[in-house]
PDB file of all heavy atoms in Angstrom:
ATOM      1  N   GLU A   1      46.787 -53.931 -35.372  1.00 95.00           N
ATOM      2  CA  GLU A   1      46.461 -53.345 -34.068  1.00 95.00           C
ATOM      3  C   GLU A   1      45.077 -52.712 -34.071  1.00 95.00           C
ATOM      4  O   GLU A   1      44.348 -52.776 -33.073  1.00 95.00           O
ATOM      5  CB  GLU A   1      47.522 -52.311 -33.676  1.00 95.00           C
ATOM      6  CG  GLU A   1      48.870 -52.908 -33.309  1.00 95.00           C
ATOM      7  CD  GLU A   1      48.798 -53.812 -32.091  1.00 95.00           C
ATOM      8  OE1 GLU A   1      48.262 -53.393 -31.056  1.00 95.00           O
ATOM      9  OE2 GLU A   1      49.281 -54.949 -32.189  1.00 95.00           O
ATOM     10  N   GLN A   2      44.705 -52.089 -35.182  1.00 96.00           N
ATOM     11  CA  GLN A   2      43.367 -51.507 -35.253  1.00 96.00           C
ATOM     12  C   GLN A   2      42.300 -52.598 -35.201  1.00 96.00           C
ATOM     13  O   GLN A   2      41.293 -52.455 -34.496  1.00 96.00           O
ATOM     14  CB  GLN A   2      43.213 -50.689 -36.539  1.00 96.00           C
ATOM     15  CG  GLN A   2      44.029 -49.410 -36.546  1.00 96.00           C
ATOM     16  CD  GLN A   2      43.625 -48.469 -37.649  1.00 96.00           C
ATOM     17  OE1 GLN A   2      42.473 -48.036 -37.731  1.00 96.00           O
ATOM     18  NE2 GLN A   2      44.573 -48.134 -38.514  1.00 96.00           N
ATOM     19  N   LEU A   3      42.523 -53.692 -35.923  1.00 96.00           N
ATOM     20  CA  LEU A   3      41.547 -54.782 -35.903  1.00 96.00           C
ATOM     21  C   LEU A   3      41.398 -55.363 -34.503  1.00 96.00           C
ATOM     22  O   LEU A   3      40.296 -55.739 -34.090  1.00 96.00           O
ATOM     23  CB  LEU A   3      41.960 -55.881 -36.888  1.00 96.00           C
ATOM     24  CG  LEU A   3      41.862 -55.541 -38.379  1.00 96.00           C
ATOM     25  CD1 LEU A   3      42.311 -56.733 -39.209  1.00 96.00           C
ATOM     26  CD2 LEU A   3      40.453 -55.117 -38.768  1.00 96.00           C
ATOM     27  N   LYS A   4      42.488 -55.440 -33.771  1.00 94.00           N
ATOM     28  CA  LYS A   4      42.422 -55.987 -32.407  1.00 94.00           C
ATOM     29  C   LYS A   4      41.543 -55.148 -31.497  1.00 94.00           C
ATOM     30  O   LYS A   4      40.940 -55.661 -30.551  1.00 94.00           O
ATOM     31  CB  LYS A   4      43.825 -56.079 -31.820  1.00 94.00           C
ATOM     32  CG  LYS A   4      44.704 -57.135 -32.427  1.00 94.00           C
ATOM     33  CD  LYS A   4      46.020 -57.187 -31.661  1.00 94.00           C
ATOM     34  CE  LYS A   4      47.197 -57.179 -32.574  1.00 94.00           C
ATOM     35  NZ  LYS A   4      48.474 -57.199 -31.840  1.00 94.00           N
ATOM     36  N   LEU A   5      41.490 -53.844 -31.770  1.00 95.00           N
ATOM     37  CA  LEU A   5      40.669 -52.953 -30.959  1.00 95.00           C
ATOM     38  C   LEU A   5      39.183 -53.033 -31.304  1.00 95.00           C
ATOM     39  O   LEU A   5      38.337 -52.535 -30.560  1.00 95.00           O
ATOM     40  CB  LEU A   5      41.144 -51.501 -31.124  1.00 95.00           C
ATOM     41  CG  LEU A   5      42.483 -51.152 -30.476  1.00 95.00           C
ATOM     42  CD1 LEU A   5      42.958 -49.778 -30.952  1.00 95.00           C
ATOM     43  CD2 LEU A   5      42.373 -51.177 -28.953  1.00 95.00           C
ATOM     44  N   MET A   6      38.848 -53.674 -32.412  1.00 95.00           N
ATOM     45  CA  MET A   6      37.458 -53.745 -32.865  1.00 95.00           C
ATOM     46  C   MET A   6      36.765 -54.963 -32.245  1.00 95.00           C
ATOM     47  O   MET A   6      36.682 -56.035 -32.855  1.00 95.00           O
ATOM     48  CB  MET A   6      37.397 -53.775 -34.391  1.00 95.00           C
ATOM     49  CG  MET A   6      37.947 -52.524 -35.043  1.00 95.00           C
ATOM     50  SD  MET A   6      37.776 -52.510 -36.853  1.00 95.00           S
ATOM     51  CE  MET A   6      35.980 -52.345 -37.018  1.00 95.00           C
ATOM     52  N   LYS A   7      36.264 -54.801 -31.066  1.00 94.00           N
ATOM     53  CA  LYS A   7      35.696 -55.922 -30.312  1.00 94.00           C
ATOM     54  C   LYS A   7      34.369 -56.424 -30.883  1.00 94.00           C
ATOM     55  O   LYS A   7      33.947 -57.550 -30.588  1.00 94.00           O
ATOM     56  CB  LYS A   7      35.503 -55.508 -28.843  1.00 94.00           C
ATOM     57  CG  LYS A   7      36.777 -54.999 -28.163  1.00 94.00           C
ATOM     58  CD  LYS A   7      37.918 -56.012 -28.258  1.00 94.00           C
ATOM     59  CE  LYS A   7      39.162 -55.511 -27.536  1.00 94.00           C
ATOM     60  NZ  LYS A   7      40.316 -56.430 -27.708  1.00 94.00           N
ATOM     61  N   ASN A   8      33.697 -55.614 -31.697  1.00 96.00           N
ATOM     62  CA  ASN A   8      32.416 -56.025 -32.295  1.00 96.00           C
ATOM     63  C   ASN A   8      32.560 -56.479 -33.746  1.00 96.00           C
ATOM     64  O   ASN A   8      31.560 -56.704 -34.428  1.00 96.00           O
ATOM     65  CB  ASN A   8      31.417 -54.861 -32.242  1.00 96.00           C
ATOM     66  CG  ASN A   8      31.127 -54.422 -30.822  1.00 96.00           C
ATOM     67  OD1 ASN A   8      31.043 -55.239 -29.909  1.00 96.00           O
ATOM     68  ND2 ASN A   8      30.983 -53.117 -30.621  1.00 96.00           N
ATOM     69  N   LEU A   9      33.790 -56.645 -34.201  1.00 96.00           N
ATOM     70  CA  LEU A   9      34.047 -56.925 -35.607  1.00 96.00           C
ATOM     71  C   LEU A   9      33.408 -58.233 -36.066  1.00 96.00           C
ATOM     72  O   LEU A   9      33.592 -59.283 -35.460  1.00 96.00           O
ATOM     73  CB  LEU A   9      35.556 -56.989 -35.845  1.00 96.00           C
ATOM     74  CG  LEU A   9      36.024 -57.184 -37.293  1.00 96.00           C
ATOM     75  CD1 LEU A   9      35.562 -56.032 -38.169  1.00 96.00           C
ATOM     76  CD2 LEU A   9      37.548 -57.313 -37.329  1.00 96.00           C
ATOM     77  N   LYS A  10      32.655 -58.150 -37.169  1.00 97.00           N
ATOM     78  CA  LYS A  10      31.991 -59.317 -37.745  1.00 97.00           C
ATOM     79  C   LYS A  10      32.530 -59.676 -39.128  1.00 97.00           C
ATOM     80  O   LYS A  10      32.548 -60.848 -39.510  1.00 97.00           O
ATOM     81  CB  LYS A  10      30.485 -59.043 -37.878  1.00 97.00           C
ATOM     82  CG  LYS A  10      29.748 -58.906 -36.564  1.00 97.00           C
ATOM     83  CD  LYS A  10      29.529 -60.266 -35.932  1.00 97.00           C
ATOM     84  CE  LYS A  10      28.596 -60.164 -34.727  1.00 97.00           C
ATOM     85  NZ  LYS A  10      28.340 -61.502 -34.140  1.00 97.00           N
ATOM     86  N   VAL A  11      32.952 -58.671 -39.904  1.00 98.00           N
ATOM     87  CA  VAL A  11      33.362 -58.929 -41.281  1.00 98.00           C
ATOM     88  C   VAL A  11      34.375 -57.874 -41.722  1.00 98.00           C
ATOM     89  O   VAL A  11      34.273 -56.703 -41.346  1.00 98.00           O
ATOM     90  CB  VAL A  11      32.138 -58.959 -42.226  1.00 98.00           C
ATOM     91  CG1 VAL A  11      31.352 -57.670 -42.146  1.00 98.00           C
ATOM     92  CG2 VAL A  11      32.553 -59.251 -43.663  1.00 98.00           C
ATOM     93  N   ILE A  12      35.364 -58.324 -42.500  1.00 98.00           N
ATOM     94  CA  ILE A  12      36.395 -57.442 -43.053  1.00 98.00           C
ATOM     95  C   ILE A  12      36.252 -57.421 -44.573  1.00 98.00           C
ATOM     96  O   ILE A  12      36.186 -58.472 -45.206  1.00 98.00           O
ATOM     97  CB  ILE A  12      37.807 -57.928 -42.687  1.00 98.00           C
ATOM     98  CG1 ILE A  12      37.974 -58.045 -41.171  1.00 98.00           C
ATOM     99  CG2 ILE A  12      38.864 -56.995 -43.262  1.00 98.00           C
ATOM    100  CD1 ILE A  12      39.231 -58.800 -40.750  1.00 98.00           C
ATOM    101  N   VAL A  13      36.217 -56.219 -45.138  1.00 98.00           N
ATOM    102  CA  VAL A  13      36.167 -56.069 -46.589  1.00 98.00           C
ATOM    103  C   VAL A  13      37.575 -55.734 -47.078  1.00 98.00           C
ATOM    104  O   VAL A  13      38.160 -54.741 -46.655  1.00 98.00           O
ATOM    105  CB  VAL A  13      35.198 -54.949 -47.014  1.00 98.00           C
ATOM    106  CG1 VAL A  13      35.064 -54.915 -48.533  1.00 98.00           C
ATOM    107  CG2 VAL A  13      33.842 -55.135 -46.354  1.00 98.00           C
ATOM    108  N   ALA A  14      38.116 -56.567 -47.947  1.00 98.00           N
ATOM    109  CA  ALA A  14      39.431 -56.325 -48.544  1.00 98.00           C
ATOM    110  C   ALA A  14      39.224 -55.710 -49.916  1.00 98.00           C
ATOM    111  O   ALA A  14      38.745 -56.370 -50.833  1.00 98.00           O
ATOM    112  CB  ALA A  14      40.212 -57.625 -48.645  1.00 98.00           C
ATOM    113  N   MET A  15      39.579 -54.430 -50.067  1.00 97.00           N
ATOM    114  CA  MET A  15      39.330 -53.702 -51.310  1.00 97.00           C
ATOM    115  C   MET A  15      40.602 -53.565 -52.118  1.00 97.00           C
ATOM    116  O   MET A  15      41.487 -52.786 -51.780  1.00 97.00           O
ATOM    117  CB  MET A  15      38.737 -52.323 -51.013  1.00 97.00           C
ATOM    118  CG  MET A  15      37.304 -52.361 -50.560  1.00 97.00           C
ATOM    119  SD  MET A  15      36.533 -50.733 -50.541  1.00 97.00           S
ATOM    120  CE  MET A  15      34.804 -51.226 -50.367  1.00 97.00           C
ATOM    121  N   GLY A  16      40.686 -54.328 -53.197  1.00 94.00           N
ATOM    122  CA  GLY A  16      41.847 -54.254 -54.065  1.00 94.00           C
ATOM    123  C   GLY A  16      42.801 -55.419 -53.866  1.00 94.00           C
ATOM    124  O   GLY A  16      42.814 -56.083 -52.829  1.00 94.00           O
ATOM    125  N   TRP A  17      43.612 -55.666 -54.895  1.00 93.00           N
ATOM    126  CA  TRP A  17      44.486 -56.835 -54.944  1.00 93.00           C
ATOM    127  C   TRP A  17      45.423 -56.940 -53.743  1.00 93.00           C
ATOM    128  O   TRP A  17      45.515 -57.984 -53.101  1.00 93.00           O
ATOM    129  CB  TRP A  17      45.270 -56.778 -56.261  1.00 93.00           C
ATOM    130  CG  TRP A  17      46.394 -57.752 -56.347  1.00 93.00           C
ATOM    131  CD1 TRP A  17      46.302 -59.093 -56.600  1.00 93.00           C
ATOM    132  CD2 TRP A  17      47.780 -57.482 -56.170  1.00 93.00           C
ATOM    133  NE1 TRP A  17      47.552 -59.669 -56.593  1.00 93.00           N
ATOM    134  CE2 TRP A  17      48.484 -58.700 -56.344  1.00 93.00           C
ATOM    135  CE3 TRP A  17      48.516 -56.323 -55.886  1.00 93.00           C
ATOM    136  CZ2 TRP A  17      49.877 -58.788 -56.233  1.00 93.00           C
ATOM    137  CZ3 TRP A  17      49.898 -56.418 -55.788  1.00 93.00           C
ATOM    138  CH2 TRP A  17      50.555 -57.636 -55.963  1.00 93.00           C
ATOM    139  N   ALA A  18      46.138 -55.842 -53.415  1.00 94.00           N
ATOM    140  CA  ALA A  18      47.107 -55.895 -52.320  1.00 94.00           C
ATOM    141  C   ALA A  18      46.424 -56.159 -50.979  1.00 94.00           C
ATOM    142  O   ALA A  18      46.925 -56.924 -50.145  1.00 94.00           O
ATOM    143  CB  ALA A  18      47.904 -54.594 -52.254  1.00 94.00           C
ATOM    144  N   ALA A  19      45.279 -55.542 -50.767  1.00 96.00           N
ATOM    145  CA  ALA A  19      44.540 -55.761 -49.522  1.00 96.00           C
ATOM    146  C   ALA A  19      44.045 -57.199 -49.432  1.00 96.00           C
ATOM    147  O   ALA A  19      44.090 -57.817 -48.358  1.00 96.00           O
ATOM    148  CB  ALA A  19      43.366 -54.787 -49.428  1.00 96.00           C
ATOM    149  N   ILE A  20      43.596 -57.736 -50.541  1.00 97.00           N
ATOM    150  CA  ILE A  20      43.106 -59.113 -50.542  1.00 97.00           C
ATOM    151  C   ILE A  20      44.233 -60.076 -50.185  1.00 97.00           C
ATOM    152  O   ILE A  20      44.067 -60.967 -49.346  1.00 97.00           O
ATOM    153  CB  ILE A  20      42.507 -59.466 -51.921  1.00 97.00           C
ATOM    154  CG1 ILE A  20      41.229 -58.649 -52.164  1.00 97.00           C
ATOM    155  CG2 ILE A  20      42.182 -60.963 -51.996  1.00 97.00           C
ATOM    156  CD1 ILE A  20      40.726 -58.714 -53.593  1.00 97.00           C
ATOM    157  N   GLU A  21      45.405 -59.893 -50.806  1.00 95.00           N
ATOM    158  CA  GLU A  21      46.533 -60.773 -50.498  1.00 95.00           C
ATOM    159  C   GLU A  21      46.916 -60.704 -49.026  1.00 95.00           C
ATOM    160  O   GLU A  21      47.206 -61.731 -48.404  1.00 95.00           O
ATOM    161  CB  GLU A  21      47.738 -60.411 -51.367  1.00 95.00           C
ATOM    162  CG  GLU A  21      47.609 -60.841 -52.804  1.00 95.00           C
ATOM    163  CD  GLU A  21      48.952 -61.002 -53.495  1.00 95.00           C
ATOM    164  OE1 GLU A  21      49.945 -60.402 -53.004  1.00 95.00           O
ATOM    165  OE2 GLU A  21      49.008 -61.704 -54.496  1.00 95.00           O
ATOM    166  N   GLU A  22      46.932 -59.515 -48.468  1.00 95.00           N
ATOM    167  CA  GLU A  22      47.278 -59.377 -47.057  1.00 95.00           C
ATOM    168  C   GLU A  22      46.271 -60.070 -46.145  1.00 95.00           C
ATOM    169  O   GLU A  22      46.646 -60.733 -45.178  1.00 95.00           O
ATOM    170  CB  GLU A  22      47.368 -57.891 -46.683  1.00 95.00           C
ATOM    171  CG  GLU A  22      48.634 -57.205 -47.126  1.00 95.00           C
ATOM    172  CD  GLU A  22      49.848 -57.704 -46.359  1.00 95.00           C
ATOM    173  OE1 GLU A  22      49.908 -57.537 -45.137  1.00 95.00           O
ATOM    174  OE2 GLU A  22      50.741 -58.294 -47.002  1.00 95.00           O
ATOM    175  N   LEU A  23      45.000 -59.922 -46.460  1.00 95.00           N
ATOM    176  CA  LEU A  23      43.963 -60.459 -45.577  1.00 95.00           C
ATOM    177  C   LEU A  23      43.797 -61.964 -45.697  1.00 95.00           C
ATOM    178  O   LEU A  23      43.480 -62.638 -44.703  1.00 95.00           O
ATOM    179  CB  LEU A  23      42.631 -59.762 -45.849  1.00 95.00           C
ATOM    180  CG  LEU A  23      42.308 -58.512 -45.019  1.00 95.00           C
ATOM    181  CD1 LEU A  23      42.223 -58.844 -43.546  1.00 95.00           C
ATOM    182  CD2 LEU A  23      43.309 -57.393 -45.233  1.00 95.00           C
ATOM    183  N   ILE A  24      44.013 -62.535 -46.888  1.00 94.00           N
ATOM    184  CA  ILE A  24      43.843 -63.981 -47.003  1.00 94.00           C
ATOM    185  C   ILE A  24      45.174 -64.715 -46.874  1.00 94.00           C
ATOM    186  O   ILE A  24      45.204 -65.941 -46.791  1.00 94.00           O
ATOM    187  CB  ILE A  24      43.102 -64.386 -48.289  1.00 94.00           C
ATOM    188  CG1 ILE A  24      43.961 -64.150 -49.535  1.00 94.00           C
ATOM    189  CG2 ILE A  24      41.781 -63.650 -48.397  1.00 94.00           C
ATOM    190  CD1 ILE A  24      43.298 -64.674 -50.803  1.00 94.00           C
ATOM    191  N   GLY A  25      46.282 -63.944 -46.873  1.00 92.00           N
ATOM    192  CA  GLY A  25      47.575 -64.523 -46.564  1.00 92.00           C
ATOM    193  C   GLY A  25      48.234 -65.316 -47.667  1.00 92.00           C
ATOM    194  O   GLY A  25      49.116 -66.143 -47.402  1.00 92.00           O
ATOM    195  N   ARG A  26      47.838 -65.073 -48.915  1.00 92.00           N
ATOM    196  CA  ARG A  26      48.486 -65.778 -50.028  1.00 92.00           C
ATOM    197  C   ARG A  26      48.286 -65.003 -51.327  1.00 92.00           C
ATOM    198  O   ARG A  26      47.467 -64.085 -51.395  1.00 92.00           O
ATOM    199  CB  ARG A  26      47.933 -67.199 -50.176  1.00 92.00           C
ATOM    200  CG  ARG A  26      46.438 -67.294 -50.448  1.00 92.00           C
ATOM    201  CD  ARG A  26      46.011 -68.747 -50.601  1.00 92.00           C
ATOM    202  NE  ARG A  26      44.585 -68.918 -50.668  1.00 92.00           N
ATOM    203  CZ  ARG A  26      43.854 -68.769 -51.764  1.00 92.00           C
ATOM    204  NH1 ARG A  26      44.430 -68.413 -52.892  1.00 92.00           N
ATOM    205  NH2 ARG A  26      42.547 -68.966 -51.741  1.00 92.00           N
ATOM    206  N   HIS A  27      49.050 -65.400 -52.350  1.00 93.00           N
ATOM    207  CA  HIS A  27      48.986 -64.730 -53.646  1.00 93.00           C
ATOM    208  C   HIS A  27      47.643 -64.979 -54.329  1.00 93.00           C
ATOM    209  O   HIS A  27      47.088 -66.084 -54.257  1.00 93.00           O
ATOM    210  CB  HIS A  27      50.106 -65.233 -54.550  1.00 93.00           C
ATOM    211  CG  HIS A  27      50.043 -64.700 -55.936  1.00 93.00           C
ATOM    212  ND1 HIS A  27      50.283 -63.369 -56.248  1.00 93.00           N
ATOM    213  CD2 HIS A  27      49.747 -65.310 -57.120  1.00 93.00           C
ATOM    214  CE1 HIS A  27      50.143 -63.197 -57.545  1.00 93.00           C
ATOM    215  NE2 HIS A  27      49.820 -64.350 -58.101  1.00 93.00           N
ATOM    216  N   VAL A  28      47.114 -63.942 -54.977  1.00 91.00           N
ATOM    217  CA  VAL A  28      45.911 -64.095 -55.794  1.00 91.00           C
ATOM    218  C   VAL A  28      46.212 -63.558 -57.193  1.00 91.00           C
ATOM    219  O   VAL A  28      46.940 -62.585 -57.352  1.00 91.00           O
ATOM    220  CB  VAL A  28      44.690 -63.355 -55.198  1.00 91.00           C
ATOM    221  CG1 VAL A  28      44.297 -63.962 -53.865  1.00 91.00           C
ATOM    222  CG2 VAL A  28      44.957 -61.865 -55.038  1.00 91.00           C
ATOM    223  N   GLU A  29      45.668 -64.220 -58.198  1.00 91.00           N
ATOM    224  CA  GLU A  29      45.907 -63.818 -59.581  1.00 91.00           C
ATOM    225  C   GLU A  29      45.205 -62.516 -59.924  1.00 91.00           C
ATOM    226  O   GLU A  29      45.716 -61.687 -60.680  1.00 91.00           O
ATOM    227  CB  GLU A  29      45.449 -64.927 -60.532  1.00 91.00           C
ATOM    228  CG  GLU A  29      46.281 -66.189 -60.459  1.00 91.00           C
ATOM    229  CD  GLU A  29      47.717 -65.985 -60.898  1.00 91.00           C
ATOM    230  OE1 GLU A  29      47.970 -65.088 -61.736  1.00 91.00           O
ATOM    231  OE2 GLU A  29      48.600 -66.705 -60.383  1.00 91.00           O
ATOM    232  N   SER A  30      44.002 -62.337 -59.391  1.00 93.00           N
ATOM    233  CA  SER A  30      43.227 -61.137 -59.692  1.00 93.00           C
ATOM    234  C   SER A  30      42.118 -60.985 -58.665  1.00 93.00           C
ATOM    235  O   SER A  30      41.782 -61.929 -57.939  1.00 93.00           O
ATOM    236  CB  SER A  30      42.608 -61.229 -61.090  1.00 93.00           C
ATOM    237  OG  SER A  30      41.609 -62.241 -61.126  1.00 93.00           O
ATOM    238  N   VAL A  31      41.562 -59.789 -58.612  1.00 94.00           N
ATOM    239  CA  VAL A  31      40.423 -59.546 -57.716  1.00 94.00           C
ATOM    240  C   VAL A  31      39.242 -60.417 -58.123  1.00 94.00           C
ATOM    241  O   VAL A  31      38.545 -60.982 -57.274  1.00 94.00           O
ATOM    242  CB  VAL A  31      40.027 -58.051 -57.734  1.00 94.00           C
ATOM    243  CG1 VAL A  31      38.760 -57.824 -56.908  1.00 94.00           C
ATOM    244  CG2 VAL A  31      41.163 -57.195 -57.202  1.00 94.00           C
ATOM    245  N   THR A  32      39.030 -60.555 -59.411  1.00 93.00           N
ATOM    246  CA  THR A  32      37.914 -61.370 -59.908  1.00 93.00           C
ATOM    247  C   THR A  32      38.047 -62.813 -59.430  1.00 93.00           C
ATOM    248  O   THR A  32      37.074 -63.416 -58.955  1.00 93.00           O
ATOM    249  CB  THR A  32      37.856 -61.334 -61.444  1.00 93.00           C
ATOM    250  OG1 THR A  32      37.668 -59.977 -61.873  1.00 93.00           O
ATOM    251  CG2 THR A  32      36.707 -62.186 -61.964  1.00 93.00           C
ATOM    252  N   ASN A  33      39.241 -63.391 -59.539  1.00 94.00           N
ATOM    253  CA  ASN A  33      39.461 -64.758 -59.069  1.00 94.00           C
ATOM    254  C   ASN A  33      39.204 -64.881 -57.575  1.00 94.00           C
ATOM    255  O   ASN A  33      38.611 -65.861 -57.102  1.00 94.00           O
ATOM    256  CB  ASN A  33      40.889 -65.209 -59.386  1.00 94.00           C
ATOM    257  CG  ASN A  33      41.093 -65.531 -60.850  1.00 94.00           C
ATOM    258  OD1 ASN A  33      40.138 -65.594 -61.614  1.00 94.00           O
ATOM    259  ND2 ASN A  33      42.334 -65.725 -61.251  1.00 94.00           N
TER     260      ASN A  33
END
């Protein structure tokens, strides 16, 4: 809901393993990968 309110949004930074999985929508082995 917060992202929907960001009408000027250009880029999302996913910080950390759990955030990365949520934002890309699939399992990741590590942040480095």
Side-chain angles (χ1 to χ4, degrees):
E1 289 298 309
Q2 290 194 59
L3 290 180
K4 289 185 228 179
L5 289 169
M6 297 184 69
K7 304 305 182 185
N8 299 323
L9 184 61
K10 293 284 189 178
V11 57
I12 303 167
V13 186
M15 287 192 167
W17 169 77
I20 293 168
E21 286 203 339
E22 282 291 298
L23 269 298
I24 70 174
R26 60 179 172 83
H27 175 69
V28 295
E29 292 296 332
S30 68
V31 175
T32 300
N33 285 350

